[in-house]
Structure formats: structure tokens, C-alpha cells
Amino acid sequence: MGRIRINNIRVHSNHGCLKEEMLIGSDYRVDLDVFADLAKPSQSDKLSETVDYVHLNKIVQEEMAIRSNLLEHVAKRIIDRIFLEIPTVNKAQVEVAKINPPMGGDVESVAVSLKHQRP
């Protein structure tokens, strides 16, 4: 078993329940961990035999572009697409963080983290 980690994917999106968030949007950070058997690609050196992190980034970018009220919903959609499109992934964890959330205080970020395993 191995892990592929993508750190600090930065996107601007319009998630949130407040009208301002829907219109203006906010900055987000996404961290992603996927777990798969990496024994074969570590020997073969073939991209076709591993989990392509370009594909993972594309999934994150596309799902972050779809507006949601809750970060939990966005995170679950990202994991669902990973399992749908990349059958070699056995487990995935995603953290979606809203930078400078509008919550009436000096808060750097608020984050939701979900971890799921293929059934």
C-alpha cells in the first residue's frame, strides 16, 4: 500500500450559506491523500500503472467549481469521483479549508476533513 498526497491546492469558489459567499466567493485550500497499491508502478516506472496526480487535481478543480452550501458536501463529492474514476484507489482523505471565513472574528481558516474507504 502506498500514499499519494497533493498539498495546498488553491482555488477560488462560491461555497457557503451566506449571500455574500455565493456572490463574491472565497479562497479555499484542498489537501488530498489517496491510498493505492504502488508496488507495480514503483518497479515499472509507467504512469499508466499508478494514480495520476494530474487526474486527481482535475477532479478537485472541477468539484470545487460546483457551488455548495457546505464544505462537507464538496469533500464527499471529491471522494466519490475519485472512487468512480480511479479504481486502483482503496482509500481517500480530503480536507477542504475556507481561508478567512466570514464568521465575525479573526480566523485564518476553517476546514472539513473526510476519509472514506472503498467498500
Side-chain angles (χ1 to χ4, degrees):
M1 182 69 65
R3 176 176 85 166
I4 294 175
R5 179 164 177 77
I6 303 178
N7 294 311
N8 201 21
I9 301 168
R10 293 177 297 274
V11 296
H12 186 85
S13 194
N14 296 70
H15 306 301
C17 297
L18 300 176
K19 190 178 283 187
E20 300 83 34
E21 293 175 301
M22 294 178 203
L23 296 173
I24 299 168
S26 298
D27 292 323
Y28 293 85
R29 184 193 74 243
V30 179
D31 295 321
L32 181 63
D33 286 294
V34 298
F35 298 84
D37 184 355
L38 301 179
K40 190 172 182 180
S42 70
Q43 294 293 317
S44 71
D45 198 29
K46 293 181 182 177
L47 178 61
S48 62
E49 294 179 349
T50 193
V51 178
D52 185 352
Y53 50 79
V54 172
H55 188 178
L56 293 170
N57 184 56
K58 180 179 181 249
I59 289 171
V60 169
Q61 296 289 337
E62 289 176 357
E63 291 303 322
M64 288 297 292
I66 301 169
R67 204 197 82 68
S68 293
N69 289 328
L70 301 177
L71 298 181
E72 292 89 332
H73 189 252
V74 180
K76 179 69 165 71
R77 284 199 329 262
I78 291 169
I79 289 176
D80 287 348
R81 273 216 34 214
I82 290 168
F83 285 156
L84 178 68
E85 295 180 20
I86 309 172
T88 56
V89 171
N90 299 316
K91 183 169 45 170
Q93 180 170 345
V94 64
E95 180 174 288
V96 180
K98 183 181 291 193
I99 310 302
N100 296 319
M103 50 189 292
D106 186 12
V107 177
E108 181 179 317
S109 67
V110 62
V112 168
S113 182
L114 290 181
K115 184 190 295 187
H116 287 274
Q117 196 162 321
R118 193 177 291 277

mmCIF file of all heavy atoms in Angstrom, residues 100-116:
data_model
loop_
_atom_site.group_PDB
_atom_site.id
_atom_site.type_symbol
_atom_site.label_atom_id
_atom_site.label_comp_id
_atom_site.label_asym_id
_atom_site.label_seq_id
_atom_site.Cartn_x
_atom_site.Cartn_y
_atom_site.Cartn_z
ATOM 1 N N ASN A 100 -9.899 32.610 5.642
ATOM 2 C CA ASN A 100 -10.545 33.829 6.167
ATOM 3 C C ASN A 100 -12.073 33.753 6.093
ATOM 4 O O ASN A 100 -12.717 34.564 5.434
ATOM 5 C CB ASN A 100 -10.054 35.076 5.413
ATOM 6 C CG ASN A 100 -8.592 35.320 5.602
ATOM 7 O OD1 ASN A 100 -8.067 35.166 6.694
ATOM 8 N ND2 ASN A 100 -7.908 35.675 4.530
ATOM 9 N N PRO A 101 -12.682 32.786 6.778
ATOM 10 C CA PRO A 101 -14.133 32.634 6.701
ATOM 11 C C PRO A 101 -14.862 33.820 7.349
ATOM 12 O O PRO A 101 -14.378 34.381 8.334
ATOM 13 C CB PRO A 101 -14.395 31.349 7.483
ATOM 14 C CG PRO A 101 -13.259 31.264 8.446
ATOM 15 C CD PRO A 101 -12.077 31.847 7.718
ATOM 16 N N PRO A 102 -16.013 34.189 6.792
ATOM 17 C CA PRO A 102 -16.773 35.321 7.349
ATOM 18 C C PRO A 102 -17.567 34.884 8.579
ATOM 19 O O PRO A 102 -18.762 34.595 8.498
ATOM 20 C CB PRO A 102 -17.689 35.711 6.188
ATOM 21 C CG PRO A 102 -17.924 34.434 5.455
ATOM 22 C CD PRO A 102 -16.644 33.664 5.589
ATOM 23 N N MET A 103 -16.906 34.829 9.726
ATOM 24 C CA MET A 103 -17.582 34.374 10.931
ATOM 25 C C MET A 103 -17.428 35.338 12.105
ATOM 26 O O MET A 103 -17.542 34.943 13.255
ATOM 27 C CB MET A 103 -17.141 32.952 11.302
ATOM 28 C CG MET A 103 -15.664 32.731 11.334
ATOM 29 S SD MET A 103 -15.202 30.986 11.510
ATOM 30 C CE MET A 103 -15.739 30.587 13.142
ATOM 31 N N GLY A 104 -17.182 36.589 11.803
ATOM 32 C CA GLY A 104 -17.161 37.605 12.851
ATOM 33 C C GLY A 104 -15.981 37.531 13.784
ATOM 34 O O GLY A 104 -16.092 37.872 14.949
ATOM 35 N N GLY A 105 -14.838 37.093 13.309
ATOM 36 C CA GLY A 105 -13.642 37.027 14.134
ATOM 37 C C GLY A 105 -12.418 36.908 13.251
ATOM 38 O O GLY A 105 -12.520 36.756 12.039
ATOM 39 N N ASP A 106 -11.266 36.976 13.874
ATOM 40 C CA ASP A 106 -10.013 36.849 13.146
ATOM 41 C C ASP A 106 -9.636 35.368 13.097
ATOM 42 O O ASP A 106 -8.936 34.864 13.979
ATOM 43 C CB ASP A 106 -8.932 37.683 13.831
ATOM 44 C CG ASP A 106 -7.637 37.715 13.038
ATOM 45 O OD1 ASP A 106 -7.650 37.281 11.867
ATOM 46 O OD2 ASP A 106 -6.617 38.155 13.595
ATOM 47 N N VAL A 107 -10.129 34.670 12.073
ATOM 48 C CA VAL A 107 -9.917 33.232 11.928
ATOM 49 C C VAL A 107 -9.190 32.983 10.612
ATOM 50 O O VAL A 107 -9.645 33.423 9.559
ATOM 51 C CB VAL A 107 -11.272 32.474 11.935
ATOM 52 C CG1 VAL A 107 -11.061 30.990 11.719
ATOM 53 C CG2 VAL A 107 -12.025 32.742 13.235
ATOM 54 N N GLU A 108 -8.064 32.300 10.684
ATOM 55 C CA GLU A 108 -7.278 32.034 9.476
ATOM 56 C C GLU A 108 -8.023 31.141 8.497
ATOM 57 O O GLU A 108 -8.080 31.420 7.303
ATOM 58 C CB GLU A 108 -5.952 31.377 9.849
ATOM 59 C CG GLU A 108 -5.067 31.083 8.652
ATOM 60 C CD GLU A 108 -3.751 30.452 9.052
ATOM 61 O OE1 GLU A 108 -3.137 30.912 10.031
ATOM 62 O OE2 GLU A 108 -3.336 29.497 8.376
ATOM 63 N N SER A 109 -8.599 30.055 9.007
ATOM 64 C CA SER A 109 -9.333 29.143 8.132
ATOM 65 C C SER A 109 -10.218 28.220 8.960
ATOM 66 O O SER A 109 -10.031 28.076 10.169
ATOM 67 C CB SER A 109 -8.374 28.305 7.274
ATOM 68 O OG SER A 109 -7.628 27.412 8.071
ATOM 69 N N VAL A 110 -11.168 27.628 8.279
ATOM 70 C CA VAL A 110 -11.990 26.578 8.862
ATOM 71 C C VAL A 110 -11.956 25.428 7.861
ATOM 72 O O VAL A 110 -11.997 25.645 6.664
ATOM 73 C CB VAL A 110 -13.418 27.059 9.168
ATOM 74 C CG1 VAL A 110 -14.138 27.488 7.909
ATOM 75 C CG2 VAL A 110 -14.217 26.003 9.907
ATOM 76 N N ALA A 111 -11.830 24.192 8.367
ATOM 77 C CA ALA A 111 -11.637 23.058 7.459
ATOM 78 C C ALA A 111 -12.535 21.886 7.844
ATOM 79 O O ALA A 111 -12.878 21.684 8.994
ATOM 80 C CB ALA A 111 -10.178 22.621 7.469
ATOM 81 N N VAL A 112 -12.865 21.127 6.803
ATOM 82 C CA VAL A 112 -13.589 19.872 6.973
ATOM 83 C C VAL A 112 -12.725 18.778 6.367
ATOM 84 O O VAL A 112 -12.185 18.948 5.273
ATOM 85 C CB VAL A 112 -14.962 19.934 6.258
ATOM 86 C CG1 VAL A 112 -15.590 18.568 6.162
ATOM 87 C CG2 VAL A 112 -15.886 20.906 6.955
ATOM 88 N N SER A 113 -12.597 17.669 7.076
ATOM 89 C CA SER A 113 -11.806 16.552 6.585
ATOM 90 C C SER A 113 -12.675 15.297 6.570
ATOM 91 O O SER A 113 -13.323 14.984 7.572
ATOM 92 C CB SER A 113 -10.592 16.344 7.489
ATOM 93 O OG SER A 113 -9.797 15.298 7.014
ATOM 94 N N LEU A 114 -12.691 14.602 5.430
ATOM 95 C CA LEU A 114 -13.425 13.344 5.312
ATOM 96 C C LEU A 114 -12.478 12.253 4.836
ATOM 97 O O LEU A 114 -11.605 12.496 4.003
ATOM 98 C CB LEU A 114 -14.549 13.465 4.288
ATOM 99 C CG LEU A 114 -15.737 14.334 4.631
ATOM 100 C CD1 LEU A 114 -16.756 14.286 3.477
ATOM 101 C CD2 LEU A 114 -16.418 13.904 5.912
ATOM 102 N N LYS A 115 -12.668 11.060 5.377
ATOM 103 C CA LYS A 115 -11.883 9.895 4.960
ATOM 104 C C LYS A 115 -12.848 8.766 4.669
ATOM 105 O O LYS A 115 -13.730 8.470 5.478
ATOM 106 C CB LYS A 115 -10.927 9.474 6.051
ATOM 107 C CG LYS A 115 -9.998 8.326 5.666
ATOM 108 C CD LYS A 115 -9.205 7.755 6.821
ATOM 109 C CE LYS A 115 -8.234 8.736 7.388
ATOM 110 N NZ LYS A 115 -7.345 8.147 8.411
ATOM 111 N N HIS A 116 -12.713 8.159 3.502
ATOM 112 C CA HIS A 116 -13.561 7.022 3.122
ATOM 113 C C HIS A 116 -12.700 5.921 2.543
ATOM 114 O O HIS A 116 -11.663 6.181 1.938
ATOM 115 C CB HIS A 116 -14.620 7.448 2.099
ATOM 116 C CG HIS A 116 -15.706 8.283 2.684
ATOM 117 N ND1 HIS A 116 -16.820 7.751 3.282
ATOM 118 C CD2 HIS A 116 -15.841 9.624 2.771
ATOM 119 C CE1 HIS A 116 -17.593 8.738 3.705
ATOM 120 N NE2 HIS A 116 -17.011 9.879 3.413
#
